[in-house]
Coordinates of all heavy atoms in Angstrom, one line a residue:
M1 N -27.4 -31.8 7.8 CA -26.4 -31.6 6.9 C -25.7 -30.3 7.2 O -26.3 -29.3 7.4 CB -26.9 -31.6 5.5 CG -25.8 -31.4 4.3 SD -26.5 -31.5 2.8 CE -26.1 -33.1 2.4
A2 N -24.4 -30.3 7.3 CA -23.5 -29.2 7.6 C -23.5 -28.2 6.5 O -23.4 -28.6 5.3 CB -22.1 -29.5 8.0
A3 N -23.6 -26.9 6.8 CA -23.4 -25.9 5.7 C -22.0 -25.8 5.4 O -21.1 -25.8 6.2 CB -24.0 -24.5 6.3
T4 N -21.7 -25.5 4.1 CA -20.5 -25.3 3.5 C -20.3 -23.8 3.3 O -21.2 -23.1 3.0 CB -20.2 -25.9 2.2 OG1 -21.2 -25.5 1.3 CG2 -20.4 -27.5 2.4
T5 N -19.1 -23.3 3.6 CA -18.7 -21.9 3.4 C -18.1 -21.8 2.1 O -17.2 -22.6 1.7 CB -18.0 -21.3 4.5 OG1 -16.8 -22.1 4.6 CG2 -18.8 -21.3 5.8
K6 N -18.3 -20.7 1.5 CA -17.6 -20.5 0.1 C -16.3 -19.7 0.3 O -16.3 -18.7 1.1 CB -18.5 -19.6 -0.8 CG -18.1 -19.5 -2.2 CD -19.2 -18.7 -3.0 CE -18.8 -18.6 -4.4 NZ -19.8 -18.0 -5.2
Q7 N -15.2 -20.3 -0.1 CA -14.0 -19.6 -0.1 C -13.5 -18.8 -1.2 O -13.9 -19.2 -2.3 CB -12.9 -20.7 0.2 CG -13.0 -21.5 1.5 CD -12.3 -20.8 2.6 OE1 -11.3 -20.0 2.4 NE2 -12.8 -20.9 3.9
S8 N -12.8 -17.8 -1.1 CA -12.3 -17.0 -2.2 C -10.8 -17.0 -2.1 O -10.2 -17.2 -0.9 CB -12.8 -15.7 -2.1 OG -14.2 -15.6 -2.5
T9 N -10.1 -16.8 -3.2 CA -8.7 -16.8 -3.2 C -8.4 -15.2 -3.5 O -8.9 -14.5 -4.2 CB -8.1 -17.5 -4.4 OG1 -8.5 -18.8 -4.2 CG2 -6.6 -17.3 -4.5
F10 N -7.4 -14.7 -2.7 CA -6.9 -13.4 -2.8 C -5.7 -13.2 -3.7 O -4.7 -14.0 -3.2 CB -6.7 -12.8 -1.4 CG -8.0 -12.7 -0.6 CD1 -8.4 -13.7 0.2 CD2 -8.8 -11.6 -0.5 CE1 -9.5 -13.7 1.0 CE2 -9.9 -11.6 0.1 CZ -10.3 -12.6 1.0
L11 N -5.7 -12.5 -4.6 CA -4.4 -12.1 -5.4 C -4.1 -10.8 -5.2 O -4.9 -9.8 -5.2 CB -4.8 -12.4 -6.9 CG -5.4 -13.8 -7.3 CD1 -5.7 -13.7 -8.7 CD2 -4.3 -14.9 -7.0
I12 N -2.8 -10.5 -4.9 CA -2.4 -9.2 -4.8 C -1.1 -8.9 -5.7 O -0.3 -9.8 -5.8 CB -1.8 -9.0 -3.3 CG1 -3.1 -9.0 -2.4 CG2 -1.1 -7.6 -3.2 CD1 -2.8 -8.7 -0.9
G13 N -1.1 -7.8 -6.3 CA 0.0 -7.3 -7.1 C -0.1 -7.8 -8.6 O -0.8 -8.6 -8.9
I14 N 0.9 -7.3 -9.3 CA 1.0 -7.6 -10.7 C 1.5 -9.0 -11.0 O 1.3 -9.5 -12.1 CB 1.8 -6.5 -11.5 CG1 3.1 -6.4 -10.9 CG2 1.1 -5.1 -11.5 CD1 4.0 -5.4 -11.7
K15 N 2.1 -9.5 -10.0 CA 2.7 -10.9 -10.2 C 1.7 -12.0 -10.1 O 1.9 -13.1 -10.3 CB 3.9 -11.1 -9.3 CG 5.1 -10.2 -9.6 CD 6.2 -10.5 -8.6 CE 7.3 -9.5 -8.9 NZ 8.4 -9.7 -8.0
G16 N 0.5 -11.6 -9.5 CA -0.6 -12.6 -9.2 C -0.2 -13.6 -8.2 O -0.7 -14.7 -8.3
K17 N 0.4 -13.2 -7.2 CA 0.7 -14.2 -6.1 C -0.6 -14.5 -5.3 O -1.3 -13.6 -5.0 CB 1.7 -13.5 -5.1 CG 2.0 -14.4 -4.0 CD 3.0 -13.8 -3.1 CE 3.4 -14.7 -2.0 NZ 4.6 -14.1 -1.1
V18 N -0.8 -15.7 -5.2 CA -2.0 -16.3 -4.5 C -1.8 -16.1 -2.9 O -0.8 -16.5 -2.5 CB -2.3 -17.7 -4.7 CG1 -3.5 -18.2 -4.0 CG2 -2.5 -17.8 -6.3
V19 N -2.6 -15.4 -2.3 CA -2.6 -15.2 -0.8 C -3.9 -15.8 -0.2 O -5.0 -15.5 -0.6 CB -2.4 -13.7 -0.5 CG1 -2.3 -13.6 1.0 CG2 -1.3 -13.1 -1.2
H20 N -3.7 -16.7 0.8 CA -4.9 -17.4 1.3 C -5.4 -17.0 2.7 O -6.3 -17.4 3.3 CB -4.6 -18.9 1.4 CG -4.5 -19.5 0.1 ND1 -5.6 -19.8 -0.7 CD2 -3.4 -20.0 -0.7 CE1 -5.2 -20.3 -1.9 NE2 -3.9 -20.5 -1.9
N21 N -4.5 -16.1 3.4 CA -5.0 -15.7 4.8 C -4.6 -14.2 5.0 O -3.8 -13.7 4.2 CB -4.3 -16.6 5.8 CG -2.8 -16.5 5.8 OD1 -2.2 -15.5 5.8 ND2 -2.2 -17.8 5.7
Q22 N -5.2 -13.7 6.0 CA -5.1 -12.3 6.4 C -3.7 -11.8 6.6 O -3.1 -10.7 6.2 CB -5.9 -11.9 7.6 CG -5.9 -10.4 7.9 CD -6.9 -10.1 9.0 OE1 -7.8 -10.9 9.4 NE2 -6.7 -9.0 9.7
E23 N -2.9 -12.7 7.4 CA -1.5 -12.3 7.7 C -0.6 -12.2 6.4 O 0.2 -11.3 6.3 CB -0.8 -13.5 8.5 CG -1.5 -13.5 10.0 CD -2.8 -14.3 10.1 OE1 -3.0 -15.1 9.0 OE2 -3.6 -14.0 10.9
D24 N -0.9 -13.1 5.4 CA -0.1 -13.0 4.1 C -0.6 -11.8 3.4 O 0.3 -11.1 2.7 CB -0.3 -14.2 3.4 CG 0.4 -15.4 3.8 OD1 1.3 -15.3 4.8 OD2 0.1 -16.6 3.4
I25 N -1.9 -11.3 3.4 CA -2.3 -10.2 2.8 C -1.7 -9.0 3.4 O -1.1 -8.1 2.6 CB -3.8 -10.1 2.9 CG1 -4.5 -11.1 2.1 CG2 -4.3 -8.7 2.4 CD1 -6.0 -11.2 2.3
I26 N -1.6 -8.8 4.7 CA -1.0 -7.7 5.4 C 0.5 -7.6 5.0 O 1.1 -6.6 4.7 CB -1.2 -7.8 6.9 CG1 -2.6 -7.7 7.2 CG2 -0.3 -6.8 7.6 CD1 -3.3 -6.4 6.9
S27 N 1.2 -8.8 4.9 CA 2.7 -9.0 4.6 C 2.8 -8.3 3.2 O 3.8 -7.6 2.9 CB 3.1 -10.2 4.6 OG 4.4 -10.4 4.3
E28 N 2.0 -8.7 2.2 CA 2.1 -8.2 0.9 C 1.9 -6.7 0.8 O 2.6 -5.9 0.1 CB 1.1 -9.0 0.0 CG 1.5 -10.4 -0.3 CD 2.8 -10.5 -1.1 OE1 2.9 -9.8 -2.1 OE2 3.6 -11.4 -0.7
I29 N 0.8 -6.3 1.5 CA 0.6 -4.8 1.6 C 1.8 -4.0 2.1 O 2.2 -3.0 1.7 CB -0.6 -4.6 2.4 CG1 -1.9 -5.1 1.5 CG2 -0.9 -3.0 2.7 CD1 -3.2 -5.1 2.5
Q30 N 2.3 -4.6 3.3 CA 3.5 -3.9 3.9 C 4.7 -3.9 2.9 O 5.4 -2.9 2.9 CB 3.8 -4.6 5.1 CG 2.8 -4.4 6.3 CD 3.1 -5.3 7.5 OE1 3.6 -6.5 7.4 NE2 2.7 -4.8 8.6
S31 N 4.9 -4.9 2.1 CA 6.0 -4.9 1.1 C 5.8 -3.9 0.2 O 6.8 -3.2 -0.3 CB 6.1 -6.3 0.5 OG 6.5 -7.3 1.4
A32 N 4.5 -3.7 -0.3 CA 4.2 -2.7 -1.3 C 4.4 -1.3 -0.7 O 5.0 -0.3 -1.4 CB 2.7 -2.8 -1.8
L33 N 4.1 -1.1 0.5 CA 4.2 0.2 1.2 C 5.7 0.6 1.5 O 6.0 1.8 1.5 CB 3.4 0.3 2.5 CG 1.9 0.1 2.4 CD1 1.2 0.1 3.8 CD2 1.3 1.1 1.5
D34 N 6.5 -0.5 1.6 CA 7.9 -0.1 1.9 C 8.6 0.4 0.6 O 9.8 0.9 0.7 CB 8.6 -1.4 2.3 CG 8.3 -1.7 3.8 OD1 7.9 -0.9 4.5 OD2 8.5 -3.0 4.2
E35 N 7.9 0.4 -0.6 CA 8.6 0.9 -1.8 C 8.6 2.4 -1.9 O 9.2 2.9 -2.7 CB 7.9 0.3 -3.0 CG 8.0 -1.2 -3.1 CD 7.2 -1.8 -4.2 OE1 6.6 -1.1 -5.0 OE2 7.1 -3.1 -4.2
T36 N 7.9 3.1 -0.9 CA 7.8 4.6 -1.0 C 7.7 5.1 0.5 O 7.5 4.3 1.4 CB 6.6 5.0 -1.8 OG1 6.6 6.4 -1.9 CG2 5.2 4.6 -1.1
T37 N 7.8 6.4 0.6 CA 7.8 6.9 1.9 C 6.4 7.1 2.5 O 5.4 7.3 1.6 CB 8.5 8.3 2.0 OG1 7.7 9.2 1.2 CG2 9.9 8.2 1.4
T38 N 6.2 7.3 3.8 CA 4.8 7.5 4.4 C 4.4 8.9 3.9 O 3.1 8.9 3.7 CB 5.1 7.5 5.9 OG1 5.5 6.2 6.3 CG2 3.7 7.8 6.6
Y39 N 5.3 9.8 3.8 CA 4.8 11.1 3.4 C 4.2 11.2 2.0 O 3.2 11.7 1.7 CB 6.0 12.1 3.6 CG 5.6 13.5 3.0 CD1 4.9 14.4 3.8 CD2 6.1 14.0 1.8 CE1 4.6 15.7 3.4 CE2 5.7 15.4 1.3 CZ 5.0 16.2 2.2 OH 4.7 17.4 1.7
Q40 N 5.0 10.4 1.1 CA 4.4 10.4 -0.3 C 3.1 9.7 -0.4 O 2.2 10.1 -1.2 CB 5.6 9.6 -1.1 CG 6.7 10.4 -1.5 CD 7.8 9.7 -2.2 OE1 8.0 8.4 -2.0 NE2 8.7 10.4 -2.9
L41 N 3.0 8.6 0.4 CA 1.7 8.0 0.5 C 0.6 8.8 0.9 O -0.6 8.7 0.4 CB 1.9 6.6 1.3 CG 2.6 5.5 0.7 CD1 2.8 4.3 1.6 CD2 1.9 4.9 -0.6
A42 N 0.9 9.6 2.0 CA -0.1 10.5 2.5 C -0.5 11.5 1.5 O -1.8 11.8 1.4 CB 0.5 11.2 3.8
K43 N 0.4 12.1 0.7 CA 0.0 13.0 -0.3 C -0.9 12.3 -1.4 O -1.8 12.9 -1.9 CB 1.3 13.6 -1.0 CG 2.0 14.6 0.0 CD 3.1 15.2 -0.7 CE 2.6 16.3 -1.8 NZ 3.5 17.2 -2.2
K44 N -0.6 11.2 -1.8 CA -1.2 10.5 -2.9 C -2.6 10.0 -2.4 O -3.6 9.9 -3.3 CB -0.4 9.2 -3.4 CG 0.8 9.6 -4.2 CD 1.5 8.3 -4.6 CE 2.7 8.5 -5.4 NZ 3.3 7.3 -5.8
T45 N -2.8 9.6 -1.2 CA -4.0 9.0 -0.7 C -4.9 9.8 0.0 O -6.1 9.5 0.2 CB -3.7 7.7 0.2 OG1 -3.1 8.2 1.4 CG2 -2.9 6.7 -0.5
G46 N -4.4 10.9 0.7 CA -5.2 11.8 1.5 C -5.3 11.2 3.0 O -6.0 11.7 3.9
L47 N -4.6 10.1 3.2 CA -4.6 9.4 4.5 C -3.6 10.2 5.4 O -2.7 10.7 4.9 CB -4.3 7.9 4.4 CG -5.3 7.1 3.7 CD1 -4.7 5.7 3.5 CD2 -6.7 7.0 4.4
T48 N -3.7 10.1 6.7 CA -2.8 10.7 7.6 C -1.5 9.8 7.7 O -1.5 8.6 7.5 CB -3.3 10.8 9.0 OG1 -3.5 9.5 9.6 CG2 -4.6 11.6 9.1
C49 N -0.4 10.5 8.0 CA 0.9 9.7 8.1 C 0.7 8.7 9.2 O 1.3 7.5 9.1 CB 2.0 10.6 8.4 SG 2.5 11.6 7.0
D50 N 0.0 9.0 10.4 CA -0.2 8.1 11.4 C -1.0 6.8 10.9 O -0.6 5.7 11.4 CB -1.0 8.7 12.5 CG -1.2 7.8 13.7 OD1 -0.2 7.3 14.3 OD2 -2.4 7.6 14.1
T51 N -2.0 7.0 10.2 CA -2.8 5.7 9.7 C -1.8 4.9 8.8 O -1.7 3.7 8.9 CB -4.0 6.2 8.8 OG1 -4.8 6.9 9.7 CG2 -4.6 5.0 8.2
I52 N -1.1 5.5 8.0 CA -0.1 4.8 7.0 C 0.9 4.0 7.9 O 1.2 2.9 7.7 CB 0.6 5.7 6.0 CG1 -0.6 6.3 5.1 CG2 1.6 5.0 5.2 CD1 -0.3 7.5 4.3
H53 N 1.5 4.8 8.9 CA 2.4 4.2 9.6 C 2.0 3.0 10.4 O 2.6 2.0 10.5 CB 3.0 5.2 10.7 CG 4.1 4.8 11.5 ND1 5.4 4.6 11.3 CD2 4.0 4.3 13.0 CE1 6.1 4.1 12.2 NE2 5.2 3.9 13.2
R54 N 0.7 3.0 10.9 CA 0.1 1.9 11.6 C -0.2 0.8 10.8 O 0.1 -0.5 11.2 CB -1.2 2.3 12.3 CG -0.8 3.2 13.6 CD -2.1 3.6 14.4 NE -3.0 4.5 13.5 CZ -4.3 4.4 13.7 NH1 -5.0 3.5 14.4 NH2 -5.0 5.3 13.0
V55 N -0.6 1.0 9.6 CA -0.7 -0.1 8.6 C 0.6 -0.8 8.2 O 0.8 -1.9 8.2 CB -1.4 0.3 7.3 CG1 -1.5 -0.7 6.2 CG2 -2.9 0.8 7.7
K56 N 1.6 0.2 7.9 CA 3.1 -0.3 7.6 C 3.6 -1.2 8.7 O 4.3 -2.2 8.3 CB 3.9 0.9 7.3 CG 3.9 1.5 5.9 CD 4.9 2.5 5.9 CE 5.7 2.5 4.7 NZ 6.7 3.5 4.6
H57 N 3.3 -0.9 9.9 CA 4.0 -1.6 11.0 C 3.0 -2.6 11.7 O 3.3 -3.0 12.9 CB 4.6 -0.6 11.9 CG 5.6 0.2 11.3 ND1 6.9 -0.4 11.0 CD2 5.6 1.5 10.8 CE1 7.6 0.7 10.3 NE2 6.9 1.7 10.2
N58 N 1.9 -2.9 11.0 CA 0.9 -3.9 11.6 C 0.4 -3.5 12.9 O 0.1 -4.3 13.8 CB 1.4 -5.4 11.6 CG 0.4 -6.4 11.5 OD1 -0.7 -6.1 11.1 ND2 0.8 -7.6 11.9
N59 N 0.3 -2.2 13.2 CA -0.3 -1.7 14.5 C -1.7 -1.4 14.4 O -2.3 -0.8 15.4 CB 0.4 -0.6 15.1 CG 1.8 -0.9 15.3 OD1 2.1 -2.0 15.7 ND2 2.8 0.1 15.2
M60 N -2.4 -1.7 13.2 CA -3.9 -1.4 13.1 C -4.5 -2.7 13.0 O -4.3 -3.5 12.1 CB -4.0 -0.6 11.8 CG -5.5 -0.2 11.6 SD -5.7 0.8 10.1 CE -5.1 2.5 10.8
K61 N -5.4 -3.0 14.0 CA -6.0 -4.3 14.1 C -6.8 -4.7 12.9 O -6.6 -5.8 12.4 CB -6.9 -4.3 15.4 CG -7.5 -5.6 15.6 CD -8.5 -5.6 16.9 CE -9.0 -7.0 17.1 NZ -10.0 -7.0 18.1
D62 N -7.6 -3.9 12.4 CA -8.4 -4.2 11.3 C -8.7 -3.0 10.4 O -9.7 -2.4 10.5 CB -9.8 -4.8 11.8 CG -10.6 -5.5 10.8 OD1 -10.0 -5.7 9.7 OD2 -11.9 -5.7 11.1
P63 N -7.7 -2.7 9.5 CA -7.9 -1.5 8.6 C -9.1 -1.7 7.7 O -9.5 -2.7 7.3 CB -6.5 -1.5 7.9 CG -6.0 -2.8 7.9 CD -6.5 -3.5 9.1
R64 N -9.7 -0.6 7.4 CA -10.9 -0.6 6.5 C -10.3 -1.0 5.0 O -9.2 -0.7 4.7 CB -11.5 0.9 6.4 CG -12.2 1.3 7.6 CD -12.7 2.6 7.4 NE -13.3 3.1 8.6 CZ -14.0 4.3 8.7 NH1 -13.9 5.1 7.8 NH2 -14.5 4.5 9.9
I65 N -11.2 -1.5 4.4 CA -10.9 -2.0 3.0 C -10.6 -0.7 2.0 O -9.7 -0.7 1.3 CB -11.9 -2.9 2.3 CG1 -11.5 -3.5 1.0 CG2 -13.2 -2.1 2.1 CD1 -10.4 -4.5 1.2
S66 N -11.3 0.4 2.3 CA -11.1 1.6 1.6 C -9.7 2.1 1.9 O -9.0 2.6 0.9 CB -12.2 2.7 1.9 OG -12.2 2.9 3.3
T67 N -9.2 2.0 3.0 CA -7.8 2.4 3.4 C -6.8 1.5 2.6 O -5.9 2.0 2.0 CB -7.6 2.2 4.9 OG1 -8.5 3.2 5.6 CG2 -6.1 2.6 5.2
I68 N -7.0 0.1 2.7 CA -6.1 -0.7 1.9 C -6.1 -0.5 0.4 O -5.0 -0.4 -0.2 CB -6.5 -2.2 2.2 CG1 -6.3 -2.5 3.7 CG2 -5.7 -3.1 1.3 CD1 -4.9 -2.2 4.3
L69 N -7.3 -0.3 -0.1 CA -7.4 0.0 -1.6 C -6.7 1.3 -1.9 O -6.0 1.4 -2.9 CB -8.8 0.0 -2.0 CG -9.6 -1.3 -1.9 CD1 -11.0 -1.1 -2.2 CD2 -8.9 -2.4 -2.9
K70 N -6.8 2.3 -1.0 CA -6.2 3.7 -1.4 C -4.6 3.5 -1.4 O -3.9 3.9 -2.3 CB -6.5 4.7 -0.3 CG -7.9 5.3 -0.5 CD -8.2 6.2 0.6 CE -9.6 6.7 0.5 NZ -9.8 7.6 1.6
L71 N -4.2 2.7 -0.4 CA -2.7 2.5 -0.3 C -2.2 1.7 -1.4 O -1.1 2.0 -2.0 CB -2.4 1.8 1.0 CG -2.6 2.7 2.2 CD1 -2.5 2.0 3.6 CD2 -1.6 3.8 2.2
L72 N -2.9 0.6 -1.8 CA -2.4 -0.3 -2.9 C -2.5 0.5 -4.3 O -1.6 0.4 -5.1 CB -3.4 -1.6 -3.0 CG -3.2 -2.5 -1.9 CD1 -4.2 -3.7 -1.9 CD2 -1.7 -3.1 -1.9
N73 N -3.5 1.2 -4.4 CA -3.6 2.1 -5.6 C -2.4 3.0 -5.7 O -1.9 3.2 -6.8 CB -4.9 2.8 -5.7 CG -5.1 3.6 -6.9 OD1 -4.9 2.9 -8.1 ND2 -5.7 4.8 -6.9
A74 N -2.1 3.7 -4.6 CA -1.0 4.6 -4.7 C 0.3 4.0 -4.9 O 1.3 4.6 -5.5 CB -0.9 5.4 -3.3
C75 N 0.4 2.6 -4.6 CA 1.6 1.8 -4.9 C 1.6 1.1 -6.3 O 2.6 0.5 -6.6 CB 1.8 0.8 -3.8 SG 2.1 1.5 -2.2
G76 N 0.5 1.4 -7.0 CA 0.4 0.8 -8.3 C 0.1 -0.6 -8.3 O 0.3 -1.4 -9.2
K77 N -0.6 -1.1 -7.1 CA -1.0 -2.5 -7.0 C -2.6 -2.5 -7.0 O -3.2 -1.6 -6.8 CB -0.5 -3.0 -5.6 CG 1.0 -2.8 -5.4 CD 1.7 -3.9 -6.0 CE 3.3 -3.8 -5.7 NZ 4.0 -4.6 -6.5
K78 N -3.1 -3.8 -7.1 CA -4.5 -4.1 -7.2 C -4.8 -5.2 -6.3 O -4.0 -6.1 -6.1 CB -5.1 -4.3 -8.6 CG -5.0 -3.1 -9.5 CD -5.5 -3.4 -10.8 CE -5.4 -2.2 -11.8 NZ -6.0 -2.5 -13.0
L79 N -5.9 -5.2 -5.7 CA -6.5 -6.3 -4.9 C -7.5 -6.9 -5.7 O -8.5 -6.3 -6.1 CB -7.1 -6.0 -3.5 CG -7.7 -7.0 -2.8 CD1 -6.7 -8.1 -2.3 CD2 -8.3 -6.4 -1.5
I80 N -7.4 -8.1 -6.2 CA -8.3 -8.9 -7.0 C -8.9 -10.1 -6.1 O -8.0 -10.9 -5.7 CB -7.8 -9.4 -8.2 CG1 -7.2 -8.2 -9.0 CG2 -8.8 -10.1 -9.2 CD1 -6.3 -8.6 -10.2
I81 N -10.2 -10.2 -6.0 CA -10.8 -11.4 -5.4 C -11.4 -12.2 -6.5 O -12.2 -11.8 -7.1 CB -11.8 -11.0 -4.4 CG1 -11.2 -10.0 -3.3 CG2 -12.4 -12.1 -3.6 CD1 -12.1 -9.4 -2.3
V82 N -11.0 -13.5 -6.4 CA -11.5 -14.4 -7.4 C -12.1 -15.7 -6.8 O -11.6 -16.2 -5.8 CB -10.3 -14.9 -8.3 CG1 -10.6 -15.9 -9.3 CG2 -9.5 -13.8 -8.9
D83 N -13.3 -16.0 -7.3 CA -14.0 -17.2 -6.7 C -13.0 -18.4 -7.0 O -12.6 -18.6 -8.2 CB -15.3 -17.3 -7.4 CG -16.2 -18.3 -6.8 OD1 -15.7 -19.6 -6.6 OD2 -17.4 -18.1 -6.6
D84 N -13.0 -19.3 -6.1 CA -12.2 -20.5 -6.3 C -12.6 -21.4 -7.5 O -11.8 -22.0 -8.2 CB -12.3 -21.4 -5.0 CG -11.2 -21.0 -3.9 OD1 -10.3 -20.2 -4.3 OD2 -11.4 -21.5 -2.8
K85 N -13.9 -21.3 -7.9 CA -14.4 -22.0 -9.0 C -13.7 -21.5 -10.3 O -13.7 -22.2 -11.2 CB -15.9 -22.0 -9.1 CG -16.6 -22.7 -8.0 CD -18.1 -22.4 -8.1 CE -18.7 -23.1 -7.0 NZ -20.2 -22.9 -7.0
L86 N -13.4 -20.2 -10.4 CA -12.7 -19.7 -11.5 C -11.2 -20.1 -11.6 O -10.6 -19.8 -12.6 CB -13.1 -18.2 -11.7 CG -14.5 -17.9 -11.7 CD1 -14.6 -16.4 -11.6 CD2 -15.1 -18.5 -13.0
W87 N -10.6 -20.3 -10.4 CA -9.2 -20.4 -10.2 C -8.9 -21.8 -10.6 O -8.4 -22.5 -10.9 CB -8.8 -20.0 -8.9 CG -7.3 -19.9 -8.6 CD1 -6.6 -20.9 -7.9 CD2 -6.3 -19.1 -9.1 NE1 -5.3 -20.6 -7.9 CE2 -5.1 -19.5 -8.7 CE3 -6.5 -17.9 -9.9 CZ2 -4.0 -18.8 -8.9 CZ3 -5.3 -17.2 -10.1 CH2 -4.1 -17.7 -9.7

């Protein structure tokens, strides 16, 4: 019998947009980051401008979740992971 994998739905932002894949998550994060300057984000998060720039322009292969959470928090956004059974 084949094993089944458990899927989760990713919700980003106050509008509760459902995002199902990594590319869409990065796109939503980039949209949030475009609302402010790299310098302001660096001051709010403690991250370097280079790190923020690489995330903004999708030049970071696999950013840490802590980096993403800092950036989203600085933009007034949240990442919520919901089990599909609850959705």
Side-chain angles (χ1 to χ4, degrees):
M1 179 175 260
T4 58
T5 57
K6 190 174 184 178
Q7 291 276 331
S8 291
T9 300
F10 295 88
L11 304 175
I12 292 183
I14 56 175
K15 294 180 183 176
K17 180 177 180 180
V18 178
V19 180
H20 292 284
N21 58 54
Q22 183 175 341
E23 292 79 25
D24 289 345
I25 291 170
I26 296 298
S27 177
E28 288 295 316
I29 291 168
Q30 289 169 333
S31 294
L33 296 180
D34 285 339
E35 295 173 6
T36 187
T37 68
T38 300
Y39 178 76
Q40 289 171 331
L41 288 169
K43 285 186 76 168
K44 288 180 181 179
T45 63
L47 298 170
T48 66
C49 288
D50 181 58
T51 296
I52 296 165
H53 180 78
R54 287 187 291 146
V55 172
K56 273 182 138 178
H57 299 284
N58 204 18
N59 293 331
M60 185 176 280
K61 183 179 178 185
D62 195 13
R64 293 180 181 178
I65 190 67
S66 60
T67 300
I68 297 303
L69 292 175
K70 285 178 186 178
L71 290 168
L72 289 174
N73 186 46
C75 294
K77 308 275 185 189
K78 293 182 181 180
L79 173 65
I80 302 169
I81 301 173
V82 180
D83 190 315
D84 276 345
K85 292 178 184 176
L86 300 174
W87 185 253

